């Protein structure tokens, strides 16, 4: 392994369409293998202040699901080799119809869906709709799950599972300890590859996780950099790229 695989989280349209595109380009240049693009949502269940504020700012502009899909399509057109996953919450997927939404997402270039508040075994048909449209559903495992439920998810045949490394909200610091590694072992027990994230913000954490996951996931750290540098596109690009490099270097 010459580098650590990185899935980087990005809020569609934040702080502007152009700057969000600048950030996406910088992430890919810095070594991100996967872009997890979040459709802004008004009532997040696990997002910390950085991502929550970003979503609110975008929604204040009257940003719609169609705008988010157009943003994804633009990135896919420019970077067809980069895997794009769409992250959102159940109501945005359910309201227009799960099958209908998945068809539109796939047409925009999405390869997988991460919908944290849809339980893996009562997903309103999401897994089937993803499959029908050439995508995968990536369920979210959390340390707060019961042992029985975690085992059930691990052996349900999902190609990938997103492991939230601790309970609580995103963006606060996460310590990678033996409990974390034990949890990841349980998540991967059925053969699913694991994406591990929640509070990953530095190279030390990335290195500690690297051998236990398919890719590390980092989100709030990039949203904070984007927020702090939104008045200087060049600086924003440089800092996002540098952070991506830090997280992917062995």
């Amino acid at each position: 392994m010459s580098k650590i695989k990185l899935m980087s989280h990005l809020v569609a349209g934040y702080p502007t369409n152009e700057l969000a595109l600048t950030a996406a380009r910088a992430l890919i240049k810095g070594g991100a293998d996967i872009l997890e693009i979040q459709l802004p949502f008004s009532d997040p269940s696990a997002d910390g202040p950085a991502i929550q504020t970003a979503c609110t700012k975008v929604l204040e502009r009257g940003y719609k699901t169609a705008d988010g899909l157009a943003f994804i399509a633009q990135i896919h057109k420019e970077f067809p080799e980069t895997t794009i996953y769409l992250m959102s919450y159940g109501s945005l997927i359910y309201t227009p119809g799960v099958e209908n939404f998945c068809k539109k997402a796939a047409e925009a270039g999405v390869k997988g869906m991460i919908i944290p508040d849809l339980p893996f075994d009562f997903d309103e048909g999401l897994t089937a709709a993803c499959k029908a449209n050439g995508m995968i559903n990536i369920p979210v495992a959390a340390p707060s799950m019961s042992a029985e439920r975690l085992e059930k998810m691990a052996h349900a045949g999902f190609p990938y599972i997103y492991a939230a490394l601790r309970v609580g909200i995103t963006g606060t610091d996460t310590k990678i300890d033996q409990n974390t590694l034990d949890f990841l072992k349980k998540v991967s027990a059925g053969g699913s590859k694991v994406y591990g994230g929640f509070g990953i913000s530095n190279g030390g954490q990335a290195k500690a996780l690297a051998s236990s996951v398919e890719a590390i996931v980092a989100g709030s750290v990039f949203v904070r950099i984007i927020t702090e540098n939104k008045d200087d596109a060049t600086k924003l690009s440089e800092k996002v790229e540098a952070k991506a490099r830090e997280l992917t270097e062995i």
Side-chain angles (χ1 to χ4, degrees):
M1 187 167 66
S2 56
K3 72 184 263 300
I4 297 168
K5 279 183 87 169
L6 170 65
M7 184 202 294
S8 53
H9 180 106
L10 197 62
V11 176
Y14 180 72
T16 64
N17 280 350
E18 196 45 56
L19 286 172
L21 204 53
T22 298
R25 289 173 181 138
L27 286 165
I28 292 166
K29 197 176 172 192
D33 303 273
I34 303 161
L35 291 185
E36 177 197 10
I37 300 179
Q38 175 171 352
L39 295 185
F41 187 73
S42 60
D43 185 26
S45 56
D47 291 333
I51 292 175
Q52 209 171 344
T53 303
C55 284
T56 303
K57 294 281 186 205
V58 179
L59 290 170
E60 281 170 358
R61 303 203 319 258
Y63 204 82
K64 301 279 191 292
T65 296
D67 300 315
L69 291 174
F71 174 71
I72 287 170
Q74 194 175 357
I75 293 172
H76 177 63
K77 192 178 176 188
E78 194 172 331
F79 301 100
E81 302 304 310
T82 299
T83 300
I84 298 175
Y85 293 150
L86 184 151
M87 182 263 163
S88 191
Y89 291 92
S91 67
L92 284 187
I93 312 305
Y94 185 77
T95 305
V98 174
E99 177 64 44
N100 178 32
F101 187 97
C102 286
K103 187 174 183 294
K104 286 182 175 171
E107 284 167 359
V110 173
K111 289 288 181 273
M113 304 278 280
I114 301 168
I115 314 296
D117 62 341
L118 279 184
F120 75 95
D121 45 357
F122 293 97
D123 68 2
E124 305 292 350
L126 179 62
T127 300
C130 282
K131 206 170 187 178
N133 289 281
M135 301 188 297
I136 53 170
N137 178 27
I138 303 165
V140 178
S144 54
M145 291 171 83
S146 68
E148 294 78 16
R149 191 156 176 73
L150 185 57
E151 190 179 356
K152 190 181 173 190
M153 181 192 276
H155 290 86
F158 290 101
Y160 297 93
I161 295 174
Y162 184 130
L165 300 177
R166 57 170 170 71
V167 293
I169 56 171
T170 60
T172 48
D173 202 33
T174 298
K175 288 187 171 43
I176 312 300
D177 56 18
Q178 194 54 48
N179 288 339
T180 314
L181 302 179
D182 291 345
F183 169 62
L184 289 169
K185 241 181 222 150
K186 288 174 191 165
V187 178
S188 63
S192 302
K193 291 180 178 176
V194 179
Y195 297 126
F198 238 59
I200 302 303
S201 60
N202 62 63
Q205 292 168 308
K207 288 181 182 71
L209 270 181
S211 60
S212 301
V213 297
E214 170 70 9
I216 62 147
V217 187
S220 293
V221 62
F222 290 116
V223 176
R224 279 195 294 269
I225 292 169
I226 291 165
T227 302
E228 286 160 12
N229 299 282
K230 63 181 186 291
D231 298 325
D232 186 337
T234 305
K235 208 169 167 192
L236 183 152
S237 180
E238 286 169 355
K239 294 211 164 189
V240 166
E241 183 187 337
K243 179 54 76 173
R245 287 193 194 285
E246 179 196 329
L247 291 171
T248 55
E249 279 171 4
I250 295 293

